PDB file of all heavy atoms in Angstrom:
ATOM      1  N   ALA A 203      89.731  77.919 117.476  1.00 79.00           N
ATOM      2  CA  ALA A 203      89.784  79.345 117.128  1.00 79.00           C
ATOM      3  C   ALA A 203      89.890  79.486 115.611  1.00 79.00           C
ATOM      4  O   ALA A 203      90.745  78.859 114.976  1.00 79.00           O
ATOM      5  CB  ALA A 203      90.978  80.018 117.805  1.00 79.00           C
ATOM      6  N   ARG A 204      89.016  80.291 115.036  1.00 83.00           N
ATOM      7  CA  ARG A 204      89.005  80.515 113.590  1.00 83.00           C
ATOM      8  C   ARG A 204      89.052  82.013 113.321  1.00 83.00           C
ATOM      9  O   ARG A 204      88.492  82.803 114.083  1.00 83.00           O
ATOM     10  CB  ARG A 204      87.735  79.927 112.950  1.00 83.00           C
ATOM     11  CG  ARG A 204      87.582  78.440 113.120  1.00 83.00           C
ATOM     12  CD  ARG A 204      86.318  77.962 112.441  1.00 83.00           C
ATOM     13  NE  ARG A 204      86.310  78.275 111.019  1.00 83.00           N
ATOM     14  CZ  ARG A 204      85.253  78.117 110.235  1.00 83.00           C
ATOM     15  NH1 ARG A 204      84.122  77.673 110.743  1.00 83.00           N
ATOM     16  NH2 ARG A 204      85.327  78.415 108.961  1.00 83.00           N
ATOM     17  N   PRO A 205      89.710  82.422 112.244  1.00 86.00           N
ATOM     18  CA  PRO A 205      89.716  83.862 111.920  1.00 86.00           C
ATOM     19  C   PRO A 205      88.355  84.302 111.399  1.00 86.00           C
ATOM     20  O   PRO A 205      87.656  83.557 110.703  1.00 86.00           O
ATOM     21  CB  PRO A 205      90.790  83.967 110.824  1.00 86.00           C
ATOM     22  CG  PRO A 205      90.855  82.605 110.218  1.00 86.00           C
ATOM     23  CD  PRO A 205      90.532  81.638 111.312  1.00 86.00           C
ATOM     24  N   ARG A 206      87.969  85.503 111.720  1.00 90.00           N
ATOM     25  CA  ARG A 206      86.706  86.058 111.233  1.00 90.00           C
ATOM     26  C   ARG A 206      86.809  86.391 109.751  1.00 90.00           C
ATOM     27  O   ARG A 206      87.891  86.663 109.232  1.00 90.00           O
ATOM     28  CB  ARG A 206      86.349  87.321 112.013  1.00 90.00           C
ATOM     29  CG  ARG A 206      86.026  87.077 113.484  1.00 90.00           C
ATOM     30  CD  ARG A 206      85.578  88.363 114.169  1.00 90.00           C
ATOM     31  NE  ARG A 206      85.269  88.125 115.568  1.00 90.00           N
ATOM     32  CZ  ARG A 206      84.067  87.747 116.008  1.00 90.00           C
ATOM     33  NH1 ARG A 206      83.088  87.582 115.134  1.00 90.00           N
ATOM     34  NH2 ARG A 206      83.853  87.545 117.289  1.00 90.00           N
ATOM     35  N   ARG A 207      85.665  86.375 109.097  1.00 91.00           N
ATOM     36  CA  ARG A 207      85.616  86.767 107.695  1.00 91.00           C
ATOM     37  C   ARG A 207      85.908  88.261 107.574  1.00 91.00           C
ATOM     38  O   ARG A 207      85.501  89.065 108.397  1.00 91.00           O
ATOM     39  CB  ARG A 207      84.247  86.465 107.096  1.00 91.00           C
ATOM     40  CG  ARG A 207      84.122  86.853 105.632  1.00 91.00           C
ATOM     41  CD  ARG A 207      82.708  86.722 105.119  1.00 91.00           C
ATOM     42  NE  ARG A 207      82.279  85.333 105.085  1.00 91.00           N
ATOM     43  CZ  ARG A 207      81.375  84.808 105.898  1.00 91.00           C
ATOM     44  NH1 ARG A 207      80.806  85.586 106.831  1.00 91.00           N
ATOM     45  NH2 ARG A 207      81.029  83.547 105.806  1.00 91.00           N
ATOM     46  N   VAL A 208      86.633  88.634 106.515  1.00 94.00           N
ATOM     47  CA  VAL A 208      86.951  90.030 106.222  1.00 94.00           C
ATOM     48  C   VAL A 208      86.260  90.404 104.913  1.00 94.00           C
ATOM     49  O   VAL A 208      86.357  89.671 103.925  1.00 94.00           O
ATOM     50  CB  VAL A 208      88.474  90.253 106.112  1.00 94.00           C
ATOM     51  CG1 VAL A 208      88.775  91.713 105.792  1.00 94.00           C
ATOM     52  CG2 VAL A 208      89.169  89.842 107.412  1.00 94.00           C
ATOM     53  N   VAL A 209      85.556  91.529 104.910  1.00 95.00           N
ATOM     54  CA  VAL A 209      84.877  92.038 103.722  1.00 95.00           C
ATOM     55  C   VAL A 209      85.470  93.403 103.387  1.00 95.00           C
ATOM     56  O   VAL A 209      85.472  94.301 104.232  1.00 95.00           O
ATOM     57  CB  VAL A 209      83.355  92.153 103.942  1.00 95.00           C
ATOM     58  CG1 VAL A 209      82.670  92.677 102.682  1.00 95.00           C
ATOM     59  CG2 VAL A 209      82.765  90.804 104.343  1.00 95.00           C
ATOM     60  N   LEU A 210      85.996  93.542 102.174  1.00 95.00           N
ATOM     61  CA  LEU A 210      86.599  94.789 101.722  1.00 95.00           C
ATOM     62  C   LEU A 210      85.687  95.444 100.690  1.00 95.00           C
ATOM     63  O   LEU A 210      85.294  94.803  99.704  1.00 95.00           O
ATOM     64  CB  LEU A 210      87.975  94.528 101.098  1.00 95.00           C
ATOM     65  CG  LEU A 210      89.033  93.856 101.987  1.00 95.00           C
ATOM     66  CD1 LEU A 210      90.318  93.662 101.206  1.00 95.00           C
ATOM     67  CD2 LEU A 210      89.299  94.678 103.230  1.00 95.00           C
ATOM     68  N   LEU A 211      85.346  96.707 100.913  1.00 96.00           N
ATOM     69  CA  LEU A 211      84.588  97.511  99.962  1.00 96.00           C
ATOM     70  C   LEU A 211      85.528  98.599  99.445  1.00 96.00           C
ATOM     71  O   LEU A 211      85.843  99.541 100.166  1.00 96.00           O
ATOM     72  CB  LEU A 211      83.354  98.125 100.628  1.00 96.00           C
ATOM     73  CG  LEU A 211      82.358  97.133 101.253  1.00 96.00           C
ATOM     74  CD1 LEU A 211      81.228  97.873 101.951  1.00 96.00           C
ATOM     75  CD2 LEU A 211      81.811  96.188 100.206  1.00 96.00           C
ATOM     76  N   VAL A 212      85.998  98.457  98.198  1.00 95.00           N
ATOM     77  CA  VAL A 212      87.023  99.325  97.629  1.00 95.00           C
ATOM     78  C   VAL A 212      86.356 100.344  96.704  1.00 95.00           C
ATOM     79  O   VAL A 212      85.664  99.976  95.754  1.00 95.00           O
ATOM     80  CB  VAL A 212      88.076  98.516  96.857  1.00 95.00           C
ATOM     81  CG1 VAL A 212      89.186  99.424  96.357  1.00 95.00           C
ATOM     82  CG2 VAL A 212      88.647  97.405  97.740  1.00 95.00           C
ATOM     83  N   ASP A 213      86.577 101.613  96.989  1.00 94.00           N
ATOM     84  CA  ASP A 213      86.024 102.706  96.178  1.00 94.00           C
ATOM     85  C   ASP A 213      86.895 102.881  94.933  1.00 94.00           C
ATOM     86  O   ASP A 213      88.106 103.108  95.027  1.00 94.00           O
ATOM     87  CB  ASP A 213      86.013 103.990  97.011  1.00 94.00           C
ATOM     88  CG  ASP A 213      85.254 105.115  96.338  1.00 94.00           C
ATOM     89  OD1 ASP A 213      84.960 105.011  95.132  1.00 94.00           O
ATOM     90  OD2 ASP A 213      84.962 106.125  97.012  1.00 94.00           O
ATOM     91  N   VAL A 214      86.286 102.780  93.743  1.00 93.00           N
ATOM     92  CA  VAL A 214      87.017 102.932  92.474  1.00 93.00           C
ATOM     93  C   VAL A 214      86.506 104.146  91.700  1.00 93.00           C
ATOM     94  O   VAL A 214      86.609 104.200  90.478  1.00 93.00           O
ATOM     95  CB  VAL A 214      86.901 101.661  91.603  1.00 93.00           C
ATOM     96  CG1 VAL A 214      87.605 100.494  92.261  1.00 93.00           C
ATOM     97  CG2 VAL A 214      85.440 101.314  91.327  1.00 93.00           C
ATOM     98  N   SER A 215      85.964 105.128  92.400  1.00 91.00           N
ATOM     99  CA  SER A 215      85.452 106.323  91.742  1.00 91.00           C
ATOM    100  C   SER A 215      86.610 107.203  91.267  1.00 91.00           C
ATOM    101  O   SER A 215      87.791 106.908  91.509  1.00 91.00           O
ATOM    102  CB  SER A 215      84.548 107.099  92.701  1.00 91.00           C
ATOM    103  OG  SER A 215      85.272 107.521  93.844  1.00 91.00           O
ATOM    104  N   GLY A 216      86.268 108.318  90.614  1.00 89.00           N
ATOM    105  CA  GLY A 216      87.302 109.194  90.071  1.00 89.00           C
ATOM    106  C   GLY A 216      88.209 109.785  91.128  1.00 89.00           C
ATOM    107  O   GLY A 216      89.420 109.918  90.923  1.00 89.00           O
ATOM    108  N   SER A 217      87.655 110.158  92.284  1.00 88.00           N
ATOM    109  CA  SER A 217      88.486 110.755  93.333  1.00 88.00           C
ATOM    110  C   SER A 217      89.456 109.760  93.949  1.00 88.00           C
ATOM    111  O   SER A 217      90.462 110.157  94.532  1.00 88.00           O
ATOM    112  CB  SER A 217      87.592 111.340  94.428  1.00 88.00           C
ATOM    113  OG  SER A 217      86.773 110.330  95.003  1.00 88.00           O
TER     114      SER A 217
END
Side-chain angles (χ1 to χ4, degrees):
R204 299 181 59 189
R206 293 184 180 272
R207 180 188 293 110
V208 179
V209 180
L210 301 179
L211 302 177
V212 184
D213 189 346
V214 294
S215 61
S217 60

